[in-house]
Amino acid sequence: MAEIRLENVSKRYTEDKRTMYAVREVNLTITQGEFVFLIGSSGAGKSTLLQLIGSEIYPDEGVVYLNDVNIARLIGPWRTRATRSFGIVNQQCQLIRKRTIGDNLLLAANAGGMLRRSKSRQAVKKALGIVGLPGVETYYPAELSIGECRRVELARALINSPPLLLLDELTANLDDDNIWDLMHLLNELNTRGTTIVMATHASQYVNIMRRRVVTLVDGRVAGDVKNGKYGDIV
Ligand code: ADP
């Protein structure tokens, strides 16, 4: 189980002596099993919000709670355990180019605390099976198509069976067939109980899937609509 609650969360950056808010006074609760599309124009704060939820960065103001615990306060093993709640796919490819797909996923399994080699190999096989790429362990990232690479990154995020997936532009630069396949897969994972929070520009798929749509404008939540469509602001 993983319930996320953001209370008055703000994150600011200073560049050239100018301070600007990437995320501003956000209040948001995401309960286990939800499927949330995070939308907004470029620079609206989607990636920053995902990083705050996944505790990759911490708020300057406000608190991010994971199951009622302030994640920023956690240290050592408590922090490690909390971060295992998140399967994260960032906008930039996180795969190590000089390592095989199998090694990339094994590293993620080990980082998540899976230390027995036989168990982690099994987990790699299972994760690649889920994303529809069985048997690619010996390939290198450059040998795969963009669509396959994004699936491998999803497998990497799934390796420790996290209750919550945080996906930043997973479908960017993919053709319609690949986007549709990935959306179908995410829908299936969500049906089985995984919470999904996904930043996306793929408006037509958001409109077809009719899930919760949270819209950011200048770092603030401008819309939060159940069964929503792209651009709904209520
Ligand atoms: P989106 O994902 O919606 O495109 P981002 O969260 O990436 O938006 O960025 C929101 C704003 O915060 C942008 O103006 C961006 O330039 C700024 N920003 C994000 N990360 C940083 C950073 N590490 N340093 C400085 N500014 C940043």
Side-chain angles (χ1 to χ4, degrees):
M1 286 289 284
E3 183 185 86
I4 295 288
R5 196 170 82 252
L6 282 79
E7 274 185 14
N8 286 318
V9 169
S10 297
K11 177 74 189 171
R12 47 178 190 266
Y13 289 107
T14 303
E15 263 186 5
D16 302 327
K17 295 187 182 160
R18 198 178 139 258
T19 299
M20 54 81 62
Y21 280 87
V23 160
R24 190 155 198 167
E25 293 161 14
V26 167
N27 290 291
L28 198 64
T29 299
I30 297 166
T31 53
Q32 184 67 45
E34 280 199 278
F35 194 134
V36 183
F37 285 118
L38 203 52
I39 69 165
S41 53
S42 199
K46 304 180 295 296
S47 301
T48 306
L49 191 60
L50 286 176
Q51 289 164 17
L52 286 161
I53 295 173
S55 74
E56 295 176 282
I57 57 173
Y58 295 113
D60 293 307
E61 290 145 35
V63 181
V64 179
Y65 293 98
L66 169 65
N67 299 329
D68 293 325
V69 175
N70 178 352
I71 330 184
R73 292 266 170 88
L74 295 174
I75 51 167
W78 292 279
R79 190 182 145 68
T80 310
R81 198 173 313 151
T83 53
R84 267 183 223 150
S85 298
F86 308 114
I88 298 175
V89 179
N90 283 314
Q91 224 168 327
Q92 283 81 30
C93 178
Q94 303 284 305
L95 298 175
I96 304 167
R97 293 157 62 100
K98 289 190 173 171
R99 305 293 286 266
T100 61
I101 302 301
D103 281 352
N104 266 286
L105 267 64
L106 279 174
L107 283 170
N110 295 345
M114 213 183 286
L115 298 175
R116 268 191 32 224
R117 209 154 175 80
S118 58
K119 196 174 170 206
S120 36
R121 280 196 190 288
Q122 249 179 353
V124 169
K125 226 174 159 178
K126 185 176 166 204
L128 286 172
I130 291 173
V131 300
L133 287 175
V136 300
E137 284 94 327
T138 57
Y139 287 72
Y140 286 86
E143 293 178 283
L144 303 182
S145 68
I146 308 177
E148 288 168 333
C149 263
R150 296 310 271 168
R151 277 164 186 268
V152 168
E153 289 195 89
L154 184 58
R156 185 176 173 276
L158 287 169
I159 196 104
N160 295 302
S161 308
L164 175 59
L165 283 176
L166 301 172
L167 310 172
D168 198 351
E169 299 288 356
L170 182 69
T171 57
N173 304 318
L174 298 183
D175 61 29
D176 279 347
D177 281 351
N178 267 305
I179 298 179
W180 190 240
D181 283 354
L182 271 174
M183 289 294 193
H184 189 71
L185 177 57
L186 295 177
N187 200 40
E188 226 174 271
L189 288 167
N190 177 247
T191 306
R192 288 193 220 142
T194 305
T195 308
I196 293 175
V197 186
M198 179 179 192
T200 187
H201 287 285
S203 52
Q204 72 183 102
Y205 297 90
V206 172
N207 291 345
I208 291 169
M209 290 176 72
R210 301 301 295 261
R211 299 307 188 105
R212 182 176 172 189
V213 177
V214 173
T215 304
L216 290 181
V217 176
D218 293 336
R220 295 181 193 266
V221 174
D224 186 352
V225 182
K226 272 191 183 163
N227 310 320
K229 291 209 282 186
Y230 203 93
D232 276 350
I233 295 186
V234 175

